[in-house]
């Protein structure tokens, strides 16, 4: 089974660029399942219903989230009847932290987790949360989106569950890492898939806003960077000789 996983889609820029390239990605990589992280789709924070509908229209099968899951508070009105999965270790009854997807005669448990290092949120332990999910959900494949800031937390989780799950992909830091590999017991891993959105911002946001924030120490709301765009994703083969390859597309960067 081939799975295409698209990294954090950021703002209208990310959404439109993906809409322009999704057919190319489907034709080139022929995925059986298309997954994406959607926590930044709407203006960089959260996911609005109309934007969710555009993800579904593109043929994305399921959308995982992260620390911005509830940044658009209206998501509470549609998350329960959607193909959205929010981090399983957010201690809420709203939405689902994992779902069992049927694919041909097989089942895939797709899990979203949120790291606790450098996350100022009330969260259960992602490791123990995944222990419980593996006990209660029996399926042919397990795919985990570990949405976390710290590289070490993502690598630790992947090694802890190496051989017990098929895939651990990292999201959240928005910069694609070059450490994609198959771990010793067979789990496919990458620390971060990278982001799908503006190429020249600061992880998606307008660079001037973020530079000002760093230079002055004063928090200001940041916009979404305009200009050239990029797509970051991975294509993975879960059967036979397992593999993972990075995908990176970008528009010309010349001023
Ligand atoms: Fe993100
Ligand atoms: Fe995030």
């Amino acid at each position: 089974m081939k799975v295409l996983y698209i990294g954090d889609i950021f703002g209208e820029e990310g959404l439109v660029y993906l809409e322009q390239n999704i057919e190319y990605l489907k034709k080139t990589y022929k995925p059986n399942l298309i997954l994406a992280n959607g926590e930044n789709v709407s203006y960089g924070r959260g996911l609005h219903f109309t934007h969710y509908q555009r993800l579904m229209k593109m043929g994305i099968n399921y959308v995982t989230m992260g620390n911005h899951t509830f940044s658009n508070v209206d998501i509470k009105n549609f998350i329960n009847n959607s193909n959205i999965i929010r981090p399983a270790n957010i201690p809420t009854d709203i939405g689902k932290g994992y779902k069992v997807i049927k694919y041909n005669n097989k089942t895939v448990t797709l899990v979203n987790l949120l790291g606790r290092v450098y996350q100022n949120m009330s969260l259960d332990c992602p490791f123990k949360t995944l222990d419980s999910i593996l006990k209660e959900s029996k399926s042919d494949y397990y795919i985990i989106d570990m949405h976390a800031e710290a590289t070490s937390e993502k690598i630790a989780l992947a090694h802890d569950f190496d051989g017990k799950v098929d895939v651990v992909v990292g999201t959240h830091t928005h910069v694609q890492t070059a450490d994609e590999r198959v771990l010793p017991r067979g789990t496919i891993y990458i620390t971060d898939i990278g982001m799908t959105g503006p190429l020249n911002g600061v992880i998606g946001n307008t660079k001037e806003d973020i530079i000002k924030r760093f230079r002055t120490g004063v928090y200001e709301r940041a916009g979404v960077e305009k200009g050239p765009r990029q797509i970051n994703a991975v294509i993975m083969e879960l059967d036979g000789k397992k593999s993972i390859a990075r995908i990176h597309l970008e528009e010309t960067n010349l001023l």
Side-chain angles (χ1 to χ4, degrees):
M1 181 172 62
K2 285 173 89 173
V3 178
L4 175 69
Y5 216 121
I6 299 158
D8 304 38
I9 303 163
F10 198 102
E12 188 68 12
E13 280 67 15
L15 204 45
V16 170
Y17 193 47
L18 191 59
E19 283 167 342
Q20 290 169 352
N21 286 284
I22 193 74
E23 288 312 315
Y24 163 79
L25 292 172
K26 286 179 190 173
K27 244 184 245 161
T28 307
Y29 299 104
K30 299 183 175 54
N32 305 111
L33 198 58
I34 305 179
L35 308 173
N37 186 292
E39 68 146 10
N40 305 112
V41 170
S42 302
Y43 322 106
R45 288 160 172 249
L47 181 56
H48 288 246
F49 186 62
T50 52
H51 296 150
Y52 165 71
Q53 287 177 308
R54 283 167 65 187
L55 297 177
M56 292 296 105
K57 199 168 170 221
M58 270 189 253
I60 293 170
N61 300 107
Y62 284 84
V63 179
T64 50
M65 300 292 282
N67 51 306
H68 287 304
T69 303
F70 296 104
S71 294
N72 165 36
V73 294
D74 292 338
I75 198 170
K76 291 174 189 167
N77 300 326
F78 64 91
I79 194 170
N80 285 328
N81 296 308
S82 73
N83 290 358
I84 300 168
I85 300 165
R86 49 92 181 151
N89 54 325
I90 296 180
T92 175
D93 294 334
I94 305 167
K96 288 272 179 285
Y98 72 88
K99 286 192 185 206
V100 180
I101 303 166
K102 287 206 170 68
Y103 169 70
N104 287 344
N105 300 327
K106 306 274 184 176
T107 52
V108 182
T109 298
L110 176 61
V111 185
N112 191 192
L113 293 171
L114 190 44
R116 293 198 292 187
V117 178
Y118 304 129
Q119 286 289 359
N120 189 21
M121 289 174 71
S122 296
L123 294 167
D124 294 333
C125 172
F127 293 76
K128 290 173 187 164
T129 300
L130 188 52
D131 284 339
S132 309
I133 291 171
L134 295 189
K135 269 185 209 146
E136 66 190 44
S137 175
K138 298 294 169 206
S139 70
D140 298 300
Y141 301 94
Y142 295 88
I143 300 176
I144 319 300
D145 173 4
M146 176 59 171
H147 192 87
E149 183 75 29
T151 304
S152 58
E153 196 177 10
K154 299 187 206 186
I155 294 174
L157 184 117
H159 278 300
D160 197 9
F161 290 92
D162 183 15
K164 295 178 185 157
V165 302
D166 297 271
V167 171
V168 176
V169 287
T171 56
H172 175 73
T173 60
H174 292 195
V175 178
Q176 190 176 65
T177 56
D179 63 339
E180 77 282 7
R181 58 183 293 222
V182 180
L183 297 175
R185 294 191 175 88
T187 296
I188 293 168
Y189 177 72
I190 186 168
T191 296
D192 209 290
I193 300 173
M195 178 264 285
T196 292
L199 179 63
N200 290 321
V202 178
I203 62 171
N205 288 118
T206 316
K207 53 184 169 297
E208 289 77 10
D209 294 342
I210 302 296
I211 293 166
K212 196 172 166 198
R213 210 190 269 179
F214 277 114
R215 290 187 79 100
T216 63
V218 177
Y219 182 84
E220 282 184 57
R221 190 108 198 199
V224 177
E225 178 78 22
K226 302 285 174 225
R229 299 160 296 179
Q230 60 178 324
I231 288 172
N232 286 295
V234 289
I235 183 77
M236 301 175 284
E237 174 55 75
L238 274 54
D239 297 316
K241 189 170 162 32
K242 295 175 181 197
S243 68
I244 174 170
R246 285 180 281 130
I247 298 168
H248 174 80
L249 306 180
E250 67 174 56
E251 292 180 304
T252 176
N253 196 25
L254 298 175
L255 289 174

